[in-house]
Amino acid sequence: MHTDLHIAIVQKDLVWQDAEKNRKELDGLFATLKNVDVIVLPEMFTTGFSMHPKPIAETMDGNSVSWLKQKAATLDAAIVGSIIIKEQENYYNRLLFVHPTGTIESYDKRHAFTLAGENEKYATGNKKLIVSYKGWKICPLICYDLRFPVWSRNVENYDVLMYVANWPKPRIHAWNTLLKARAIENMSYCIGVNRVGVDANGHEYSGNSIAVDYLGNEMTAVCEYKEAVLYATLTKKDLLQIREKLPFLEDKDQFVIK
């Protein structure tokens, strides 16, 4: 028997480079959530998309990671989002998948956003993460990764793609289009979580967070320019049935990623 997966998509404005304030605001929001399995937060949800990691980076035993573990346990739900992490002399834009048990699985952003100089400030990862959770296989990725379909290619037979982002308004059409493309080409549910508001660099974010099914159909209403929690229920039975009916993944190309 396959269990549905209940997703809460948190579209939020972010306080610039202030992890404590962002955590406090999320405390209030989390208190309103009920009966969810996974809570998905934007990219760098404690700071905004900052290219000044030195004064604001945290460690894997720091306040934000401890807070995530406590909240996941209290809510009995996994929490997903990226934060700035320092390890040794490197900084990472690191996605954390925090299980209710306190187990943490992580993914370091593969594609640094060179247009903003992210490649000059952050080390990049070279390994995809596939999370097993409640009978589902989830592939979480970060923002700019969305533009690179080979990296997200469904060679692991995952069920859900998740993108956490700070994707600016001028290129939101690409966001809307590529999320559906990734869902269709990988025969997978696709969740895209984007922030709203204007950051300290003057970049505006319209949100447009969304859940899309394996055929590219929108599962949530369009939500722009405001904070919101969007809910989606993913059904494994439907996914398996459509993959059996339309076995497109069996004909996929093979890529070697170096």
Side-chain angles (χ1 to χ4, degrees):
M1 184 168 180
H2 302 293
T3 304
D4 290 347
L5 196 68
H6 303 283
I7 309 289
I9 298 169
V10 179
Q11 179 168 291
K12 190 183 179 302
D13 197 353
L14 303 176
V15 182
W16 186 248
Q17 298 190 164
D18 194 328
E20 185 176 0
K21 285 187 178 180
N22 283 303
R23 292 194 303 265
K24 185 175 181 180
E25 290 186 4
L26 285 168
D27 279 337
L29 186 149
F30 283 176
T32 69
L33 301 180
K34 295 180 180 179
N35 302 319
V36 297
D37 298 308
V38 185
I39 302 163
V40 194
L41 306 174
E43 177 184 24
M44 291 192 184
F45 70 89
T46 57
T47 59
F49 190 61
S50 174
M51 294 301 102
H52 303 282
K54 185 174 181 179
I56 56 175
E58 301 193 51
T59 64
M60 291 298 290
D61 58 359
N63 291 335
S64 289
V65 175
S66 297
W67 174 85
L68 283 166
K69 292 170 70 173
Q70 185 267 321
K71 290 298 175 183
T74 300
L75 294 165
D76 192 27
I79 305 177
V80 187
S82 89
I83 63 176
I84 300 170
I85 291 291
K86 183 180 181 182
E87 281 188 349
Q88 298 178 347
E89 298 305 313
N90 291 323
Y91 299 100
Y92 296 91
N93 183 349
R94 178 168 293 175
L95 180 144
L96 304 176
F97 191 105
V98 185
H99 294 256
T101 59
T103 298
I104 296 177
E105 297 182 75
S106 65
Y107 162 75
D108 293 330
K109 190 177 183 180
R110 162 77 169 184
H111 298 94
F113 188 48
T114 54
L115 196 62
E118 187 179 15
N119 58 310
E120 299 173 2
K121 300 294 184 178
Y122 295 89
T124 55
N126 57 13
K127 185 178 179 180
K128 284 168 73 176
L129 171 66
I130 306 297
V131 176
S132 294
Y133 179 70
K134 293 196 170 185
W136 292 75
K137 293 175 71 174
I138 301 170
C139 178
L141 298 171
I142 304 175
C143 202
Y144 194 41
D145 289 330
L146 178 61
R147 287 188 177 270
F148 303 96
V150 174
W151 184 239
S152 64
R153 195 70 176 116
N154 194 358
V155 296
E156 302 89 356
N157 197 33
Y158 60 69
D159 308 304
V160 188
L161 265 174
M162 289 182 177
Y163 290 94
V164 304
N166 277 210
W167 195 286
K169 175 188 172 184
R171 294 182 293 280
I172 202 65
H173 176 69
W175 166 262
N176 294 333
T177 303
L178 293 175
L179 286 169
K180 293 180 180 180
R182 297 295 86 86
I184 293 167
E185 70 197 11
N186 292 301
M187 294 294 289
S188 166
Y189 287 105
C190 187
I191 308 296
V193 183
N194 192 29
R195 68 161 292 177
V196 292
V198 179
D199 69 17
N201 294 314
H203 299 305
E204 184 178 7
Y205 303 88
S206 60
N208 293 77
S209 301
I210 196 171
V212 180
D213 75 9
Y214 33 78
L215 297 178
N217 299 307
E218 297 179 5
M219 301 176 66
T220 52
V222 175
C223 184
E224 299 179 311
Y225 303 106
K226 64 180 181 180
E227 295 187 327
V229 179
L230 309 176
Y231 296 93
T233 298
L234 314 187
T235 303
K236 189 74 167 290
K237 180 181 177 181
D238 292 346
L239 174 65
L240 296 177
Q241 285 180 342
I242 201 67
R243 284 181 174 176
E244 183 176 0
K245 181 180 179 181
L246 304 172
F248 301 143
L249 288 177
E250 295 178 11
D251 300 322
K252 63 181 176 289
D253 297 306
Q254 299 299 319
F255 297 101
V256 177
I257 300 175
K258 298 180 180 180

